[in-house]
C-alpha cells in the first residue's frame, strides 16, 4: 500500500546556520514517513539547486559552498514519491554570514583626570558581525559585566577616579559568534591632571610686596642714609 510522504524537514547537518565566507555546508532534507522511492529537490529563492533520489527513507544530503552574499538566500526542499501530486515542501532556512571582529579601540574624551572625578571609557570594534560583546579590564581584573551591543556602537562604562590606583592600565576585550576570535584593545592610562595650588597666588603676592619693599628701600637710601652720613662728618 503506497503511503503519501510527510512534509520534509530541512536542517543544517552542522547544527548552525552561522557561516563564514567560502564555508562548505550540508543541508539534510528528510520525510519521516511515506512510501519510497523518494525524490528530494533543493530550492534557493524558489530556484532549483539540486535533486537527489533515495530508494528508502534516508535523508537527502545537499552539499553547498557559501561563496557570496547571494548564497545566503532562503532555502527550501521538496519531497516527492510516486503518489504525491506536486510534492510536499519543507520549512525554510536562511544562513547568517559571520565575520571576525577587528581589534577594538579603547578611548576616552579625556586622558587627564583629577582625583574624585568621573570619567568614561569607550570600546568599539569597527568590523565584525553583530552582536559584539565587550568586557572592560583594569590590569587583568575585569571591571564590568559583559556589555552586548546589537548595533555598531561603542560600549561605554563610567568610572570614578578616587585614588592613585585608579590611574592604572585599562583595556577592553571584544568577541562575537565567530569561533575562537577574541580581540584585545590598545592600553589606555589616565594621567593625573596638575592641580594649581591655592597658596600659589599668595606666594606671588608676598613676593611682589617684598620686591616693592626692596625697591622702596633702595630708592630711600639717597634721602636718609647719605644726609645723615654727611651730618656726622
Amino acid at each position: 500500500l503506497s503511503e503519501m510522504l510527510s512534509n520534509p524537514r530541512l536542517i543544517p547537518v552542522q547544527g548552525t546556520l552561522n557561516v563564514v565566507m567560502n564555508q562548505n555546508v550540508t543541508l539534510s532534507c528528510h520525510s519521516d514517513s511515506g512510501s519510497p522511492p523518494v525524490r528530494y529537490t533543493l530550492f534557493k529563492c524558489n530556484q532549483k539547486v539540486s535533486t537527489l533520489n533515495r530508494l528508502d527513507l534516508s535523508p537527502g544530503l545537499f552539499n553547498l559552498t557559501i561563496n557570496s552574499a547571494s548564497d545566503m538566500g532562503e532555502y527550501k526542499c521538496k519531497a516527492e514519491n510516486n503518489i504525491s501530486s506536486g510534492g510536499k515542501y519543507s520549512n525554510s532556512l536562511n544562513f547568517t554570514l559571520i565575520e571576525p571582529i577587528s581589534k577594538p579601540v579603547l578611548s576616552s574624551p579625556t586622558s587627564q583626570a583629577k582625583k574624585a572625578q568621573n570619567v568614561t571609557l569607550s570600546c568599539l570594534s569597527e568590523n565584525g558581525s553583530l552582536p559584539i560583546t565587550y568586557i572592560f579590564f583594569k590590569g587583568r581584573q575585569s571591571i564590568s559585566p559583559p556589555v552586548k551591543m546589537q548595533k555598531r556602537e561603542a560600549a561605554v562604562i563610567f568610572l570614578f577616579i578616587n585614588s592613585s590606583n585608579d590611574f592604572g592600565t585599562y583595556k577592553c576585550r571584544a568577541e562575537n559568534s565567530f569561533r575562537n576570535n577574541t580581540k584585545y584593545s590598545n592600553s589606555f592610562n589616565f594621567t593625573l591632571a596638575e592641580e594649581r595650588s591655592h597658596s600659589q597666588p599668595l606666594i606671588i603676592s608676598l613676593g611682589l610686596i617684598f620686591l616693592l619693599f626692596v625697591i622702596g628701600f633702595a630708592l630711600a637710601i639717597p634721602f636718609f642714609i647719605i644726609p645723615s652720613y654727611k651730618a656726622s662728618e
Side-chain angles (χ1 to χ4, degrees):
L1 182 66
S2 292
E3 186 185 352
M4 191 174 285
L5 291 165
S6 61
N7 283 77
R9 285 185 309 123
L10 185 65
I11 59 169
V13 172
Q14 293 91 341
T16 177
L17 290 167
N18 291 334
V19 294
V20 297
M21 199 61 81
N22 301 318
Q23 182 177 330
N24 295 318
V25 294
T26 302
L27 293 178
S28 167
C29 184
H30 184 220
S31 288
D32 293 326
S33 61
S35 301
V38 184
R39 182 165 70 253
Y40 292 112
T41 305
L42 182 69
F43 295 86
K44 183 189 74 181
C45 303
N46 298 320
Q47 299 291 314
K48 187 186 290 186
V49 176
S50 183
T51 300
L52 296 170
N53 293 301
R54 289 288 178 264
L55 297 174
D56 54 19
L57 285 179
S58 61
L61 299 178
F62 296 94
N63 297 311
L64 308 168
T65 303
I66 305 299
N67 285 322
S68 66
S70 64
D71 295 326
M72 311 299 292
E74 183 184 68
Y75 288 86
K76 278 189 176 183
C77 73
K78 181 173 73 170
E80 301 170 278
N81 64 3
N82 294 331
I83 64 161
S84 60
S85 58
K88 293 288 184 74
Y89 284 87
S90 74
N91 54 295
S92 61
L93 292 180
N94 284 280
F95 290 106
T96 300
L97 184 67
I98 56 171
E99 297 175 281
I101 45 175
S102 57
K103 180 178 176 176
V105 175
L106 184 64
S107 62
S108 175
T110 177
S111 60
Q112 290 194 328
K114 299 174 185 176
K115 287 184 181 177
Q117 182 181 337
N118 291 303
V119 292
T120 60
L121 278 175
S122 301
C123 185
L124 176 65
S125 283
E126 290 283 359
N127 299 302
S129 307
L130 298 168
I132 298 175
T133 301
Y134 297 96
I135 298 178
F136 293 83
F137 294 84
K138 187 171 65 125
R140 294 187 176 183
Q141 185 78 33
S142 65
I143 56 170
S144 76
V147 182
K148 196 171 193 175
M149 302 299 294
Q150 303 287 348
K151 295 181 179 179
R152 186 77 57 194
E153 294 174 355
V156 178
I157 62 164
F158 299 89
L159 301 172
F160 182 63
I161 302 293
N162 199 33
S163 69
S164 56
N165 189 42
D166 296 325
F167 290 93
T169 300
Y170 292 88
K171 278 192 175 187
C172 67
R173 187 179 79 196
E175 59 188 358
N176 63 1
S177 55
F178 196 97
R179 285 182 299 177
N180 304 322
N181 183 237
T182 298
K183 295 276 178 73
Y184 283 88
S185 73
N186 52 295
S187 299
F188 188 91
N189 289 73
F190 291 103
T191 54
L192 181 62
E194 289 294 325
E195 293 191 50
R196 295 189 68 176
S197 171
H198 296 301
S199 61
Q200 202 170 6
L202 182 63
I203 293 168
I204 293 169
S205 300
L206 290 172
L208 284 170
I209 291 167
F210 180 73
L211 188 63
L212 289 169
F213 178 78
V214 169
I215 293 169
F217 184 75
L219 291 171
I221 288 172
F223 297 101
F224 296 103
I225 306 297
I226 295 173
S228 63
Y229 174 73
K230 285 182 175 179
S232 61
E233 281 182 346

